[in-house]
Amino acid sequence: MSTIIDVREYIEDTYDTSEISRTFSEIAQNPRVQSEVECYDYDIIKRKIMGDKCASADALYLKRFIYFIEFKTGFATERTDANTRTHLENLKLRIKIKAYESLGLFEKIILSDIADGKLDDNIQKKYIAVIDSLETPMDAYEDILQEASGCTVS
């Protein structure tokens, strides 16, 4: 069984940390996100493994748990016309796709290269979507993503 330390060591031994280590502020590319906390650029890791064949969360953060973090803008609007509703639905679907594919990439490719390919039972995987919104449109996805992927959603 692998620990967070095993995952971190694998990432840092496999990829150039000067290329993948970033702060949340750098990855978010949004002036409203101000954080100097270090994480890994999961988009870069994904491109090195899969090219552009799948989608991925923006960041991979390893602490007590494994966090896949997506920064998404475009939700904060009071418009309710058909084009805006369609745009918002597309953003929500894109976040779901990124959640599924991020977890799949991690479990099927990255984790399979670490020890026995399994995480310690006490390590949770969490997907966090950081969005600009007037509401909380992600609430409905929590149960869907947890059921489908075994990943908790915040």
Side-chain angles (χ1 to χ4, degrees):
M1 295 277 186
S2 300
T3 65
I4 295 290
I5 293 169
D6 296 327
V7 174
R8 182 176 290 112
E9 287 175 354
Y10 172 81
I11 296 286
E12 293 183 357
D13 289 345
T14 306
Y15 305 99
D16 180 357
T17 54
S18 68
E19 188 177 354
I20 64 168
S21 293
R22 303 274 185 275
T23 65
F24 285 134
S25 295
E26 292 170 327
I27 290 177
Q29 297 179 342
N30 182 331
R32 293 174 55 187
V33 176
Q34 297 181 9
S35 172
E36 296 306 309
V37 173
E38 291 279 329
C39 60
Y40 300 113
D41 189 323
Y42 202 53
D43 282 330
I44 292 175
I45 293 171
K46 181 265 310 185
R47 277 193 297 276
K48 290 190 173 295
I49 297 170
M50 300 290 296
D52 290 324
K53 294 179 184 171
C54 69
S56 65
D58 294 319
L60 176 66
Y61 181 64
L62 305 173
K63 197 67 172 173
R64 180 172 173 222
F65 301 127
I66 297 171
Y67 298 90
F68 302 92
I69 303 170
E70 175 66 19
F71 297 96
K72 188 61 77 183
T73 60
F75 284 95
T77 182
E78 293 182 9
R79 295 177 55 187
T80 59
D81 60 274
N83 285 341
T84 301
R85 287 193 309 273
T86 300
H87 173 71
L88 292 175
E89 285 303 312
N90 286 338
L91 287 175
K92 292 175 191 179
L93 289 172
R94 188 78 179 136
I95 289 171
K96 285 171 57 172
I97 289 168
K98 286 184 173 199
Y100 294 129
E101 292 185 353
S102 294
L103 185 64
L105 174 69
F106 181 79
E107 289 187 341
K108 303 291 186 208
I109 297 176
I110 294 172
L111 190 57
S112 68
D113 284 346
I114 303 169
D116 64 355
K118 295 180 173 40
L119 286 174
D120 283 346
D121 293 336
N122 63 338
I123 299 174
Q124 296 178 17
K125 297 173 293 286
K126 298 181 179 258
Y127 188 89
I128 300 172
V130 179
I131 61 174
D132 64 337
S133 177
L134 303 176
E135 300 176 17
T136 54
M138 296 310 297
D139 289 346
Y141 294 140
E142 184 168 351
D143 292 336
I144 295 167
L145 292 173
Q146 283 179 316
E147 182 181 310
S149 67
C151 185
T152 58
V153 180
S154 299

